[in-house]
Amino acid sequence: MYIDAFVNTTSRAWAIPILANLHAGVAGRQAPLLAATGASRTAFAQSMDHLISLGLLERNPGYGHPLRPEFRLTETGVAAAALAHRVQGVTAEDDQDLLRRSWTLPVLTVLHRPSHFNDIKRNLRTITDRALSQSLKTMEARHWVQRTVDEAARPPRSIYRAVNTGGLISSVTVTDVRFA
C-alpha cells in the first residue's frame, strides 16, 4: 500500500478498528462490528462507506437482509485488514483514541527513522503544518514521539523519532507502506 492510500484509509476514525475486527473474525454485519468497535452508528456508517469507496470492503452479495447487510473484505482489503490487526495488537486499550486520529498512523509510519519536520511534511504531501504540529505534540505528550533539538545545525532544528508504543507501531506499518 502506498502512503497516500494509507493516509486516505486512516482518515476516518473507525476504519482501522473495523478492518482489524474483520481480520480477527468478527462477523461482517453491522451489529457485531458496532459492538466490537464501540463506534457511534453515524461514525461507523461513515467509516464503512469510506472503506467501501476505497475498495477495501464490499457488500456480500446474496447474504443478509437489505436493511442489515453483510460485508466482506476485498482482495486489497485483506492486506489492509492484516496491517490494521497488527497495529491494534501492539497498542493498549487506553491508546485507541490516539489511533483513531487522522494523522497518527501516517506520521508514525514516516518516523520509522528520525526525521525533521519538513521531511515528515514532504512524505505526507496533504498534511498541513498545523495538523502535523498538533499530531506531533499529542504523540509527544503520550511518549510515542521524542523530540530532540540538533544544536549543531544553524538554525537549530528539531528531530523527531518514534519511541515506545509509537516505535512499535512505526516498525509494524513501515513494512507494508511504501513511499512514492
Side-chain angles (χ1 to χ4, degrees):
M1 170 183 304
Y2 285 99
I3 189 68
D4 293 338
F6 188 59
V7 166
N8 200 4
T9 301
T10 60
S11 67
R12 297 285 185 205
W14 296 99
I16 294 298
I18 289 169
L19 291 171
N21 280 295
L22 283 169
H23 181 78
V26 174
R29 293 181 310 277
Q30 182 173 334
L33 282 170
L34 261 172
T37 61
S40 71
R41 286 186 184 278
T42 304
F44 178 83
Q46 290 172 347
S47 293
M48 291 294 282
D49 290 343
H50 181 68
L51 291 170
I52 290 169
S53 72
L54 293 177
L56 300 176
L57 282 183
E58 64 185 2
R59 287 183 182 260
N60 195 355
Y63 288 92
H65 185 275
L67 297 176
R68 293 182 300 279
E70 186 172 308
F71 301 92
R72 65 181 181 192
L73 294 166
T74 62
E75 200 171 304
T76 310
V78 170
L83 175 59
H85 184 69
R86 288 195 307 276
V87 167
Q88 294 274 57
V90 297
T91 56
E93 192 67 34
D94 298 347
D95 295 328
Q96 296 303 310
D97 66 317
L98 190 53
L99 280 182
R100 289 192 303 268
R101 292 179 181 235
S102 294
W103 290 105
T104 298
L105 290 173
V107 169
L108 286 174
T109 302
V110 172
L111 290 177
H112 65 278
R113 62 176 183 254
S115 301
H116 296 285
F117 187 91
N118 285 334
D119 296 333
I120 300 167
K121 189 162 173 25
R122 196 172 303 115
N123 282 307
L124 302 172
R125 291 184 291 258
T126 57
I127 195 169
T128 63
D129 288 344
R130 183 171 189 256
L132 178 56
S133 179
Q134 287 180 337
S135 183
L136 288 168
K137 284 179 184 176
T138 302
M139 289 188 283
E140 192 177 357
R142 289 272 184 101
H143 304 289
W144 284 19
V145 170
Q146 181 182 44
R147 177 181 170 264
T148 56
V149 178
D150 181 6
E151 298 287 343
R154 290 290 170 229
R157 297 175 62 188
S158 296
I159 300 172
Y160 299 92
R161 66 177 38 89
V163 295
N164 303 326
T165 303
L168 292 172
I169 293 169
S170 180
S171 64
V172 166
T173 58
V174 77
T175 58
D176 290 336
V177 178
R178 295 182 301 279
F179 299 92

